Structures are given as structure tokens and as C-alpha cells.
Amino acid sequence: MKLLFTASEAYPLIKTGGLADVAGSLPEVLRQSGVDVRLLLPAYADLLDSIDTVPATVVEMDLAGQEVRILETRLPDTPLVTWLVDHPLLSGRPGNPYHDAQGIPWPDNAERFMLLSRAAAQISCGHSDLDWRPDVLHCNDWHTGPAIALAKMDERCPLTVFTIHNLAHMGLFDRDTFNRLQLPEQLWSDDALEFYDNCSFLKGGLVYADYITTVSPGYAEEICYAPGGMGLEGLLGARRDRLVGILNGIDAGTWNPATDAYIEQHYDAASLDAKALNKSALQQSLGLAERTDQPLLGFVGRLAEQKGLELMLPVLEQILELPAQLVFLGTGETDYEQGLQVLADTHPRAIAVVLAYNESLAHRIEAGADIFLMPSLFEPCGLNQLYSLRYGTLPLVRAVGGLADTVVDADAEAVANGTATGFVFRKPGPGDFLAAVQRACQHWRDRDGWRALQLTAMAQDFSWQQSAERYIELYRSAVN
Ligand code: ADP
């Protein structure tokens, strides 16, 4: 089985969020399971800089009048063949793949990701000089949605699969942009890419893919109804028989407290006492008081409404009074950044705020914190709660999407039968969030009870193997 897997980012080559974690690990696990995989990514300037050896040019292609080169490299530390779409629109600009330093989307994003999509469609339908053509084209999120629409118009289209990692990002562009892209006029229709007088790249995947997958069973259900469907619930509900929720896995090599290269002290379930050294190292490095008698609560993620900032910000000072300490790592909306910074300036020994993207610190927070906060308003899958489980850092989550699918609340029954792995609350309000934090901190004070919860959390297996099998089953059954 030959598979072309395409996305706009893949760890460790380029990462801004969870999509990169998935695109950097699932294809390699599929390859190890016997699938002949090629990963297709944009050849961003920063990505090319990060590769040691100069990638080889495989072919040159003409995409709607634009000459691109396809460069070949390997995903670092793996034999996975990775193709990079090289054109000045993608390669000529350092920095974030999607926006400038102020967070404003690049003005030519439609052209840039259409180029990636056209490359994927052409390769999939055998219109390139590459000596390789897939049985399955697997696209991810809005950046590659048009690839499926374009491939479907070709009689040599392979099986197509589209994965929704986050429905909130629809890749919307106006009619003038649509015209500039020189797409077939038939795509400007409610049954195609049009979405309320705009063109949605995401709809290319949702309307045309043979199968739609999303990253947890819970989210697959939520998006078929309002408000989770964000206006697309009609379309998704109508395609329910082609929509499958497959839980994301984690890269169990990168996220492993027993081998993690970023953390102060390695530990596992048998040496859990050593976790405390990571807490004190983290407190020290962030200027927090080195207290062992207070729980340390961590957050890593985009500072966006989705991640529950409106629930957290109003009650953070009350959390400090419990007492507890807090650490926030993230970048995002200015109001949230400022709100957090003011609190950190007021209570520098109790709350640390790092407004940056910092892979190493993300690992050190997973290892050093006691409780991980993820009170998202919606969450397609969420990866940080899975990392937290593995690190014995109990996740505190809202009962939505993949969070509800992966964390078992420490209610009396689950504690009694040994299945509890974290703290789950329902209503999206600061009061409910605070109550869950209070409850978690109470549990933390019961050292033996806490240890039991940590051991159950660390015993959960969210590695890719099972989920990769489900993708393979889907490809196989569909191709056959
Ligand atoms: P999303 O994809 O919605 O941003 P996920 O929980 O699925 O959220 O994945 C987020 C990924 O990005 C995780 O691997 C997380 O550690 C990482 N991440 C997010 N923000 C930062 C940051 N500021 N520094 C380091 N890693 C980050």
C-alpha cells in the first residue's frame, strides 16, 4: 500500500502545534507497519535551514504556471522519505509558516497552501515525473483541503482521506482571492468550497474526501451538531457514515520521562520520587519559591480562547491563595499575554509566565508540575493531557472532545476501583474550573492517594500503535 501523507507542518522539521506532532509521528509508525509512505511538506526557509544535508531535487513540476521543485530528504532520525515543495512563496520567507511576527496571517497564504495542495493532487494522480504514485492521498487540515477537491476532478484520483485536527481553522478567503487562484468555477458553490460568500479550503476535504477522520471519537460526535460543528454540522452530519474518530497517539520516544533529554532527572513509575527533582529544578529556573508543600500547576499551549483562558484568568489569584504555584508557557492573544504578565509581575515567587515557544521548557513543565491545566472550551484531541498522563502530572481538563475520551475523573467511584487518572469538570465557567482545581489540590495533599492516581495515569497506553492500526484498516477496507 502506497500512501502520500501531506500536512503543513511536521515535528521536528517545523512545528507550531499538535498537527506537527501527529504528522511527525503517525507516518513513521505507518511505515514501520509496512505502508510505503511519503510525507509531503512545504520547504519553508527555516525548515531548509534546520536540515543538515542538502536535500536532493527529485523533480520539477509546473503547477498552474508556477514552477516548483520537489526536494527529497528524510524525516530526522528516521528513514521516512520526505518530499518538500520548494517555491519562493514557501521557501523565500523565514519565520512562522502562517503569520508574521505580529500574528497577522501572511497575505499570500491562499497562494502558498494552494501550491502545496496542487503538488499533492498532481503527485497523487500520477502527473509528475516521480516514479511513484499513491493508492491513498491523506490530507490534514485546511492547508491541504483543496488537494482532495482537485484530485477528485481527475479520473486517476486515488482513495482520499482527510483528517480534521481543528475545525475552527477553515482557511477562509474572499471571492477575489478565489478568482486569483484560478480554480475551476464549479468549486465556487455551497456544495463545494463556498462558505457564506467566502471560499473555505477546509471544505475541499470535508466535501470531497472518501473518508473524513478526526482525532478523537468524542470530537467526531460533537462536530455533527451545533455548536461544535461551527456551521459545518449540516455537512458533517450528512457525511456521518464517512466520518471516523481515531484518537491521536503520542510519540512515546520523545515524550518519555525515563529518557527525556530535556529534563533534569529521569524517572518512571518505579522511581517516581525522583520526579520531585524536576519540580525543584523548574521552580529554580523560573524564580519561583522552592516549595515542596504546595502543588505546582502547569499550562503549556496557545494563549487562545479555545484553551480556556477566560476560565482561568479570573481565578488565578484565588488559586495562588489555596495555596498553589502556577507556571504558564505559551504565546497568543495580546490580552491574555498581558493579563498573565501582570499577575506574574505581582506575584513573581508564585506564578511564572513565559511568553515564548520553548520545546525544552514544555518538557520540563510536564516533568516538574504536579497538575496540568487544560480547561479547553473545545479540544479535538489534545496532546498535552496525554503527555501529562505519561509524566504522572495529573491532567485537569474540561469534559470535551478528546479530553473527555482520555482522562478519567477522580470521583469516589473511579478512585475506589482504581481507574481515575485526573480531574474532569463540565461547565465552561471560572467557578467550575476553580472548584476542580480545589478538588485536585485536596487530592494532592493525600500523598498515598496521589501516588495511586499517578501510577494509574502513567500506566495508560496512548502510543500510536493502536491508532495506526485503525488508519491502516481504514485505508485497506476502502481501497479494497
Ligand atoms: P493545539 O494543536 O490545539 O495547539 P495540542 O495540545 O493538540 O494543541 O498540541 C499542542 C502541542 O504544541 C504540544 O506538543 C505542546 O507541547 C506544544 N506547544 C504549544 N505551545 C507551546 C509553547 N509555547 N512552547 C512549547 N510547546 C508548545
Side-chain angles (χ1 to χ4, degrees), residues 325-348:
Q325 293 181 323
L326 289 159
V327 50
F328 279 81
L329 168 64
T331 56
E333 291 172 31
T334 314
D335 286 355
Y336 297 142
E337 291 195 351
Q338 283 171 355
L340 288 170
Q341 194 59 58
V342 167
L343 284 169
D345 293 343
T346 315
H347 309 280

PDB file of all heavy atoms in Angstrom, residues 325-348:
ATOM      1  N   GLN A 325       1.207  27.033  43.324  1.00  0.00           N
ATOM      2  CA  GLN A 325       2.022  27.826  42.404  1.00  0.00           C
ATOM      3  C   GLN A 325       1.583  27.535  40.975  1.00  0.00           C
ATOM      4  O   GLN A 325       1.010  26.476  40.698  1.00  0.00           O
ATOM      5  CB  GLN A 325       3.497  27.445  42.548  1.00  0.00           C
ATOM      6  CG  GLN A 325       4.093  27.834  43.890  1.00  0.00           C
ATOM      7  CD  GLN A 325       5.569  27.445  43.964  1.00  0.00           C
ATOM      8  OE1 GLN A 325       5.979  26.404  43.456  1.00  0.00           O
ATOM      9  NE2 GLN A 325       6.354  28.280  44.614  1.00  0.00           N
ATOM     10  N   LEU A 326       1.887  28.462  40.075  1.00  0.00           N
ATOM     11  CA  LEU A 326       1.455  28.316  38.685  1.00  0.00           C
ATOM     12  C   LEU A 326       2.604  28.601  37.739  1.00  0.00           C
ATOM     13  O   LEU A 326       3.432  29.477  37.998  1.00  0.00           O
ATOM     14  CB  LEU A 326       0.338  29.326  38.386  1.00  0.00           C
ATOM     15  CG  LEU A 326      -1.024  29.066  39.038  1.00  0.00           C
ATOM     16  CD1 LEU A 326      -1.833  30.361  39.095  1.00  0.00           C
ATOM     17  CD2 LEU A 326      -1.786  28.004  38.256  1.00  0.00           C
ATOM     18  N   VAL A 327       2.628  27.857  36.624  1.00  0.00           N
ATOM     19  CA  VAL A 327       3.545  28.204  35.541  1.00  0.00           C
ATOM     20  C   VAL A 327       2.786  28.142  34.217  1.00  0.00           C
ATOM     21  O   VAL A 327       2.065  27.173  33.952  1.00  0.00           O
ATOM     22  CB  VAL A 327       4.808  27.302  35.520  1.00  0.00           C
ATOM     23  CG1 VAL A 327       4.473  25.837  35.589  1.00  0.00           C
ATOM     24  CG2 VAL A 327       5.645  27.585  34.282  1.00  0.00           C
ATOM     25  N   PHE A 328       2.931  29.188  33.422  1.00  0.00           N
ATOM     26  CA  PHE A 328       2.292  29.265  32.102  1.00  0.00           C
ATOM     27  C   PHE A 328       3.366  29.413  31.032  1.00  0.00           C
ATOM     28  O   PHE A 328       4.218  30.283  31.137  1.00  0.00           O
ATOM     29  CB  PHE A 328       1.357  30.486  32.009  1.00  0.00           C
ATOM     30  CG  PHE A 328       0.016  30.247  32.623  1.00  0.00           C
ATOM     31  CD1 PHE A 328      -0.159  30.343  33.998  1.00  0.00           C
ATOM     32  CD2 PHE A 328      -1.079  29.919  31.824  1.00  0.00           C
ATOM     33  CE1 PHE A 328      -1.401  30.108  34.561  1.00  0.00           C
ATOM     34  CE2 PHE A 328      -2.320  29.690  32.390  1.00  0.00           C
ATOM     35  CZ  PHE A 328      -2.491  29.774  33.763  1.00  0.00           C
ATOM     36  N   LEU A 329       3.298  28.566  30.003  1.00  0.00           N
ATOM     37  CA  LEU A 329       4.162  28.709  28.833  1.00  0.00           C
ATOM     38  C   LEU A 329       3.267  28.800  27.614  1.00  0.00           C
ATOM     39  O   LEU A 329       2.455  27.904  27.357  1.00  0.00           O
ATOM     40  CB  LEU A 329       5.092  27.488  28.701  1.00  0.00           C
ATOM     41  CG  LEU A 329       5.840  27.368  27.369  1.00  0.00           C
ATOM     42  CD1 LEU A 329       6.813  28.526  27.159  1.00  0.00           C
ATOM     43  CD2 LEU A 329       6.583  26.027  27.284  1.00  0.00           C
ATOM     44  N   GLY A 330       3.406  29.867  26.849  1.00  0.00           N
ATOM     45  CA  GLY A 330       2.598  29.965  25.633  1.00  0.00           C
ATOM     46  C   GLY A 330       2.738  31.314  24.973  1.00  0.00           C
ATOM     47  O   GLY A 330       3.302  32.248  25.532  1.00  0.00           O
ATOM     48  N   THR A 331       2.214  31.373  23.774  1.00  0.00           N
ATOM     49  CA  THR A 331       2.131  32.653  23.071  1.00  0.00           C
ATOM     50  C   THR A 331       0.736  32.733  22.483  1.00  0.00           C
ATOM     51  O   THR A 331       0.083  31.716  22.284  1.00  0.00           O
ATOM     52  CB  THR A 331       3.134  32.739  21.904  1.00  0.00           C
ATOM     53  OG1 THR A 331       2.886  31.636  21.036  1.00  0.00           O
ATOM     54  CG2 THR A 331       4.560  32.720  22.383  1.00  0.00           C
ATOM     55  N   GLY A 332       0.295  33.959  22.230  1.00  0.00           N
ATOM     56  CA  GLY A 332      -1.024  34.077  21.621  1.00  0.00           C
ATOM     57  C   GLY A 332      -1.577  35.464  21.720  1.00  0.00           C
ATOM     58  O   GLY A 332      -0.855  36.446  21.525  1.00  0.00           O
ATOM     59  N   GLU A 333      -2.867  35.547  22.069  1.00  0.00           N
ATOM     60  CA  GLU A 333      -3.557  36.833  22.018  1.00  0.00           C
ATOM     61  C   GLU A 333      -2.974  37.805  23.050  1.00  0.00           C
ATOM     62  O   GLU A 333      -2.721  37.429  24.196  1.00  0.00           O
ATOM     63  CB  GLU A 333      -5.053  36.610  22.238  1.00  0.00           C
ATOM     64  CG  GLU A 333      -5.671  35.892  21.054  1.00  0.00           C
ATOM     65  CD  GLU A 333      -7.107  35.473  21.297  1.00  0.00           C
ATOM     66  OE1 GLU A 333      -7.819  36.176  22.041  1.00  0.00           O
ATOM     67  OE2 GLU A 333      -7.495  34.429  20.738  1.00  0.00           O
ATOM     68  N   THR A 334      -2.809  39.049  22.601  1.00  0.00           N
ATOM     69  CA  THR A 334      -2.143  40.064  23.417  1.00  0.00           C
ATOM     70  C   THR A 334      -2.813  40.244  24.779  1.00  0.00           C
ATOM     71  O   THR A 334      -2.135  40.349  25.796  1.00  0.00           O
ATOM     72  CB  THR A 334      -2.150  41.412  22.657  1.00  0.00           C
ATOM     73  OG1 THR A 334      -1.751  41.130  21.325  1.00  0.00           O
ATOM     74  CG2 THR A 334      -1.209  42.415  23.262  1.00  0.00           C
ATOM     75  N   ASP A 335      -4.138  40.277  24.813  1.00  0.00           N
ATOM     76  CA  ASP A 335      -4.833  40.491  26.090  1.00  0.00           C
ATOM     77  C   ASP A 335      -4.477  39.402  27.095  1.00  0.00           C
ATOM     78  O   ASP A 335      -4.273  39.672  28.281  1.00  0.00           O
ATOM     79  CB  ASP A 335      -6.354  40.478  25.887  1.00  0.00           C
ATOM     80  CG  ASP A 335      -6.824  41.746  25.214  1.00  0.00           C
ATOM     81  OD1 ASP A 335      -5.973  42.641  25.001  1.00  0.00           O
ATOM     82  OD2 ASP A 335      -8.019  41.847  24.892  1.00  0.00           O
ATOM     83  N   TYR A 336      -4.449  38.178  26.625  1.00  0.00           N
ATOM     84  CA  TYR A 336      -4.122  37.074  27.531  1.00  0.00           C
ATOM     85  C   TYR A 336      -2.663  37.163  27.971  1.00  0.00           C
ATOM     86  O   TYR A 336      -2.332  36.936  29.136  1.00  0.00           O
ATOM     87  CB  TYR A 336      -4.379  35.722  26.850  1.00  0.00           C
ATOM     88  CG  TYR A 336      -5.822  35.472  26.489  1.00  0.00           C
ATOM     89  CD1 TYR A 336      -6.158  34.829  25.298  1.00  0.00           C
ATOM     90  CD2 TYR A 336      -6.866  35.866  27.330  1.00  0.00           C
ATOM     91  CE1 TYR A 336      -7.480  34.586  24.950  1.00  0.00           C
ATOM     92  CE2 TYR A 336      -8.187  35.631  26.993  1.00  0.00           C
ATOM     93  CZ  TYR A 336      -8.496  34.986  25.801  1.00  0.00           C
ATOM     94  OH  TYR A 336      -9.798  34.745  25.471  1.00  0.00           O
ATOM     95  N   GLU A 337      -1.793  37.474  27.030  1.00  0.00           N
ATOM     96  CA  GLU A 337      -0.360  37.586  27.377  1.00  0.00           C
ATOM     97  C   GLU A 337      -0.190  38.658  28.452  1.00  0.00           C
ATOM     98  O   GLU A 337       0.506  38.446  29.452  1.00  0.00           O
ATOM     99  CB  GLU A 337       0.473  37.944  26.137  1.00  0.00           C
ATOM    100  CG  GLU A 337       0.550  36.813  25.109  1.00  0.00           C
ATOM    101  CD  GLU A 337       1.658  37.028  24.073  1.00  0.00           C
ATOM    102  OE1 GLU A 337       2.245  38.125  24.045  1.00  0.00           O
ATOM    103  OE2 GLU A 337       1.927  36.088  23.296  1.00  0.00           O
ATOM    104  N   GLN A 338      -0.857  39.807  28.237  1.00  0.00           N
ATOM    105  CA  GLN A 338      -0.708  40.904  29.203  1.00  0.00           C
ATOM    106  C   GLN A 338      -1.310  40.551  30.549  1.00  0.00           C
ATOM    107  O   GLN A 338      -0.726  40.813  31.603  1.00  0.00           O
ATOM    108  CB  GLN A 338      -1.352  42.181  28.644  1.00  0.00           C
ATOM    109  CG  GLN A 338      -0.464  42.827  27.589  1.00  0.00           C
ATOM    110  CD  GLN A 338      -1.149  43.977  26.857  1.00  0.00           C
ATOM    111  OE1 GLN A 338      -2.337  44.237  27.065  1.00  0.00           O
ATOM    112  NE2 GLN A 338      -0.407  44.648  25.988  1.00  0.00           N
ATOM    113  N   GLY A 339      -2.481  39.944  30.525  1.00  0.00           N
ATOM    114  CA  GLY A 339      -3.148  39.560  31.772  1.00  0.00           C
ATOM    115  C   GLY A 339      -2.271  38.636  32.601  1.00  0.00           C
ATOM    116  O   GLY A 339      -2.134  38.807  33.826  1.00  0.00           O
ATOM    117  N   LEU A 340      -1.649  37.684  31.958  1.00  0.00           N
ATOM    118  CA  LEU A 340      -0.774  36.746  32.670  1.00  0.00           C
ATOM    119  C   LEU A 340       0.477  37.459  33.179  1.00  0.00           C
ATOM    120  O   LEU A 340       0.917  37.236  34.312  1.00  0.00           O
ATOM    121  CB  LEU A 340      -0.375  35.592  31.746  1.00  0.00           C
ATOM    122  CG  LEU A 340      -1.473  34.576  31.431  1.00  0.00           C
ATOM    123  CD1 LEU A 340      -1.030  33.630  30.320  1.00  0.00           C
ATOM    124  CD2 LEU A 340      -1.848  33.775  32.683  1.00  0.00           C
ATOM    125  N   GLN A 341       1.023  38.327  32.327  1.00  0.00           N
ATOM    126  CA  GLN A 341       2.258  39.011  32.704  1.00  0.00           C
ATOM    127  C   GLN A 341       2.057  39.890  33.942  1.00  0.00           C
ATOM    128  O   GLN A 341       2.900  39.917  34.833  1.00  0.00           O
ATOM    129  CB  GLN A 341       2.774  39.855  31.526  1.00  0.00           C
ATOM    130  CG  GLN A 341       4.203  40.335  31.700  1.00  0.00           C
ATOM    131  CD  GLN A 341       5.194  39.174  31.879  1.00  0.00           C
ATOM    132  OE1 GLN A 341       5.298  38.305  31.021  1.00  0.00           O
ATOM    133  NE2 GLN A 341       5.880  39.142  33.024  1.00  0.00           N
ATOM    134  N   VAL A 342       0.910  40.560  34.005  1.00  0.00           N
ATOM    135  CA  VAL A 342       0.617  41.412  35.170  1.00  0.00           C
ATOM    136  C   VAL A 342       0.609  40.556  36.437  1.00  0.00           C
ATOM    137  O   VAL A 342       1.199  40.915  37.468  1.00  0.00           O
ATOM    138  CB  VAL A 342      -0.745  42.124  34.980  1.00  0.00           C
ATOM    139  CG1 VAL A 342      -1.218  42.752  36.288  1.00  0.00           C
ATOM    140  CG2 VAL A 342      -0.640  43.185  33.889  1.00  0.00           C
ATOM    141  N   LEU A 343      -0.030  39.400  36.362  1.00  0.00           N
ATOM    142  CA  LEU A 343      -0.079  38.519  37.537  1.00  0.00           C
ATOM    143  C   LEU A 343       1.317  38.044  37.927  1.00  0.00           C
ATOM    144  O   LEU A 343       1.660  37.991  39.121  1.00  0.00           O
ATOM    145  CB  LEU A 343      -0.967  37.303  37.250  1.00  0.00           C
ATOM    146  CG  LEU A 343      -2.467  37.577  37.268  1.00  0.00           C
ATOM    147  CD1 LEU A 343      -3.222  36.387  36.705  1.00  0.00           C
ATOM    148  CD2 LEU A 343      -2.928  37.852  38.704  1.00  0.00           C
ATOM    149  N   ALA A 344       2.123  37.708  36.931  1.00  0.00           N
ATOM    150  CA  ALA A 344       3.479  37.228  37.225  1.00  0.00           C
ATOM    151  C   ALA A 344       4.315  38.344  37.852  1.00  0.00           C
ATOM    152  O   ALA A 344       5.115  38.096  38.760  1.00  0.00           O
ATOM    153  CB  ALA A 344       4.139  36.714  35.951  1.00  0.00           C
ATOM    154  N   ASP A 345       4.117  39.584  37.379  1.00  0.00           N
ATOM    155  CA  ASP A 345       4.870  40.704  37.948  1.00  0.00           C
ATOM    156  C   ASP A 345       4.442  40.972  39.393  1.00  0.00           C
ATOM    157  O   ASP A 345       5.244  41.381  40.231  1.00  0.00           O
ATOM    158  CB  ASP A 345       4.661  41.978  37.105  1.00  0.00           C
ATOM    159  CG  ASP A 345       5.281  41.839  35.720  1.00  0.00           C
ATOM    160  OD1 ASP A 345       6.125  40.922  35.543  1.00  0.00           O
ATOM    161  OD2 ASP A 345       4.924  42.613  34.815  1.00  0.00           O
ATOM    162  N   THR A 346       3.160  40.738  39.670  1.00  0.00           N
ATOM    163  CA  THR A 346       2.645  40.987  41.020  1.00  0.00           C
ATOM    164  C   THR A 346       3.072  39.886  41.994  1.00  0.00           C
ATOM    165  O   THR A 346       3.286  40.146  43.176  1.00  0.00           O
ATOM    166  CB  THR A 346       1.097  41.064  40.979  1.00  0.00           C
ATOM    167  OG1 THR A 346       0.711  41.860  39.868  1.00  0.00           O
ATOM    168  CG2 THR A 346       0.526  41.677  42.247  1.00  0.00           C
ATOM    169  N   HIS A 347       3.125  38.634  41.495  1.00  0.00           N
ATOM    170  CA  HIS A 347       3.442  37.502  42.393  1.00  0.00           C
ATOM    171  C   HIS A 347       4.614  36.700  41.804  1.00  0.00           C
ATOM    172  O   HIS A 347       4.448  35.531  41.445  1.00  0.00           O
ATOM    173  CB  HIS A 347       2.229  36.556  42.509  1.00  0.00           C
ATOM    174  CG  HIS A 347       0.944  37.232  42.854  1.00  0.00           C
ATOM    175  ND1 HIS A 347       0.605  37.602  44.128  1.00  0.00           N
ATOM    176  CD2 HIS A 347      -0.085  37.620  42.069  1.00  0.00           C
ATOM    177  CE1 HIS A 347      -0.595  38.172  44.129  1.00  0.00           C
ATOM    178  NE2 HIS A 347      -1.034  38.204  42.883  1.00  0.00           N
ATOM    179  N   PRO A 348       5.794  37.308  41.719  1.00  0.00           N
ATOM    180  CA  PRO A 348       6.885  36.647  40.978  1.00  0.00           C
ATOM    181  C   PRO A 348       7.364  35.338  41.592  1.00  0.00           C
ATOM    182  O   PRO A 348       7.916  34.504  40.889  1.00  0.00           O
ATOM    183  CB  PRO A 348       8.007  37.701  40.986  1.00  0.00           C
ATOM    184  CG  PRO A 348       7.681  38.618  42.116  1.00  0.00           C
ATOM    185  CD  PRO A 348       6.199  38.607  42.271  1.00  0.00           C
TER     186      PRO A 348
END
